[in-house]
């Protein structure tokens, strides 16, 4: 079976061109070629057709290989260029390669031509795939992967810019919109249906938004809207229109139809002394006030709302968390991590925090961590986790149940990264429990590390000086910049499960996983894929060279006193 090849030949000899074409056919290629012998003809060929490769003679009358290479480069085309010519000096050949040629082949040794072309085409394909992955990563740095809307990071940047121009004569409006029946759809029909609902609602919400405004998905079923140069009266009209659109919308999934709703918190940007964090918090609280008042409505935030709203919702969580610490309602679970093909033994498990409610049911951290972060309870929770995890590990090492080379992962919050007393707490806990530091790895999320960069750098340096390891968790969720990998001296890179989960069905997710894995390895880090939910994903991860895997296909979280059975 022959391989088609579009080849542009810069050559003044028709006979030499035919020799090249014959050699390509003999090597199993089917060349579609054009011969050019002047700058004008070359430019016309580059403009009119798409080419796989350029083959150029070195010496043409008034038009040598250096000029041809320069012209191809100026056209901004990533095309392999191979020089096929008679004998030239070594210095000339080296200069040609430095100017952009990918190979130099003597006309008397054309047997090298086809292997060289096949090699350069593979390299070009690799470059194209890498560039596509980088473009995707760059896009996702500012956009939500599911809906295509702006993501939270980009929304916050636009909000901060809008604040600089805010004042009595230049008002802007901020919405915080939360869907009211999303959990019912998710629980009834599954995450695939929930994702489809979010995409449809995103399209719905675009209707009342002007080109100058910003619509973003802030996370989960929460959306943000920034209305540029907008009065309160107009903002209320837009908010009511959005609520009406959502109310009239019917979501159909298989044999079920759902009526959904939404609540909106509205805050006016009329004071440049406000911060975007304060505004988002105020809009969030206003949204919860709308929910408390019966849902499906708009609540306009005013400063005197603060005390009332703070006593609702999250303050209930604060008192519950404080009580849980006192009454020992927190429990520690663990989830095993396994080495994939070719990886050396190492990671063993990650410790996971759970909360027991009054009925003994387990509450996952996603429900209470936001309140703990906002009201500065995370340092207490982080210390509790470390204390319990080290007590468990001390028993494991004392009874020789811990495996040689095992690594135990412990999550840390941004608040703890900035706690100067935490390092001493770690030192004392290691010594008191007799745990080898090299068996402990502290996990921080990518977004937390970058948001608290100075504190993260200091913590990583100090904790590694003790002999402990560091992992960057949820890598790819923020996609701020791969350049931070050079700065954050981590040992492990945990690939965000949002990409791993659908990588077999979504080529974009697969490309991102592969790109993160490759760049992690270049940076000298071991990679761990999260959310590995079935064996086919595990197999694919091993094929692309990911080092470790974690997820339900491998092991479901269980209390720490139970052995990991894989």
């Amino acid at each position: 079976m022959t391989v088609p090849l579009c080849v542009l030949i810069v050559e003044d000899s028709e006979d030499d061109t035919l020799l090249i074409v014959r050699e390509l056919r003999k090597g199993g290629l089917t060349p579609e070629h054009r011969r050019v012998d002047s700058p004008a003809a070359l430019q016309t060929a580059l403009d009119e057709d798409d080419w796989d490769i350029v083959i150029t003679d070195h010496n043409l009358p008034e038009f040598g290989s250096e000029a041809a290479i320069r012209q191809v480069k100026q056209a901004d085309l990533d095309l392999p260029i191979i020089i096929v010519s008679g004998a030239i000096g070594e210095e000339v050949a080296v200069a040609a390669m430095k100017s952009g040629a990918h190979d130099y082949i003597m006309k008397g040794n054309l047997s090298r031509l086809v292997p060289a072309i096949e090699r350069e085409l593979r390299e070009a394909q690799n470059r194209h795939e890498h560039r596509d992955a980088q473009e995707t990563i760059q896009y996702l740095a500012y956009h939500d992967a599911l809906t295509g809307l702006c993501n939270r990071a980009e929304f916050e940047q636009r909000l901060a810019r809008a604040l600089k121009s805010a004042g009595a004569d230049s008002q802007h409006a901020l919405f915080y919109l939360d869907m009211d029946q999303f959990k019912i759809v998710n629980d009834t029909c599954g995450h695939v249906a929930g994702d489809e609902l979010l995409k449809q609602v995103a399209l719905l919400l675009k209707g009342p938004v002007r080109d100058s405004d910003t619509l973003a998905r802030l996370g989960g079923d929460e959306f943000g809207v920034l209305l540029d140069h907008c009065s309160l009266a107009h903002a209320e009209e837009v908010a009511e229109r959005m609520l009406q659109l959502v109310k009239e919308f019917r979501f159909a999934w298989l044999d079920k139809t759902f009526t959904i709703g939404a609540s909106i918190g509205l805050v006016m940007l009329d004071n440049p002394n406000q911060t975007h964090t304060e505004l988002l918090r105020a809009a969030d609280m206003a949204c919860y006030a709308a929910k408390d008042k019966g849902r499906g409505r708009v609540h306009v935030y005013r400063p005197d709302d603060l005390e009332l709203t703070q006593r609702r919702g999250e303050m209930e969580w604060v008192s519950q968390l404080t009580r849980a610490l006192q009454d020992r309602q927190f429990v520690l679970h663990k989830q095993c991590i396994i080495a994939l093909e070719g990886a050396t033994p190492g990671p063993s498990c990650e410790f996971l925090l759970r909360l027991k409610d009054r009925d003994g049911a387990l509450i996952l951290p996603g429900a209470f961590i936001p309140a703990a972060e906002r009201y500065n309870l995370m340092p207490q929770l982080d210390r509790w986790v470390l204390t319990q995890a080290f007590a468990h590990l001390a028993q494991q090492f004392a009874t020789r149940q811990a495996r040689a080379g095992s690594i135990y992962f412990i999550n840390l919050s941004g608040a703890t990264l900035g706690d100067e007393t935490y390092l001493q707490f770690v030192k004392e806990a290691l010594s008191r429990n007799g745990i080898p530091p090299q068996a402990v790895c502290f996990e921080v999320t990518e977004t937390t590390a970058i948001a608290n960069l100075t504190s993260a750098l200091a913590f990583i340096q100090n904790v590694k000086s003790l002999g402990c390891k560091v992992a960057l968790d949820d890598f790819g969720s923020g996609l701020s910049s791969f350049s931070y990998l050079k700065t954050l001296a981590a040992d492990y890179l945990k690939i965000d499960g949002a990409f791993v989960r659908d990588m077999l069905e979504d080529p974009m997710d697969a490309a991102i996983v592969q790109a993160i894995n490759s760049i992690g390895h270049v940076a000298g880090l071991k990679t761990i894929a999260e959310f590995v939910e079935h064996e086919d994903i595990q197999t694919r991860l091993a094929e692309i060279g990911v080092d470790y895997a974690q997820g339900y296909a491998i092991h479901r979280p269980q209390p720490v006193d139970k052995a990991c059975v894989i």
Side-chain angles (χ1 to χ4, degrees), residues 316 318-329 358:
E316 294 179 1
V318 172
S319 61
Q320 185 175 347
L321 294 177
T322 303
R323 189 167 56 250
L325 283 167
Q326 296 171 347
D327 299 343
R328 300 180 180 180
Q329 291 176 293
R358 295 176 181 176

Side-chain angles (χ1 to χ4, degrees), residues 463-482:
V463 82
K464 292 192 74 172
S465 70
L466 300 179
C468 300
K469 301 183 185 300
V470 174
L472 288 179
D473 193 19
D474 292 340
F475 197 84
S477 58
L479 293 163
S480 303
S481 174
F482 279 112

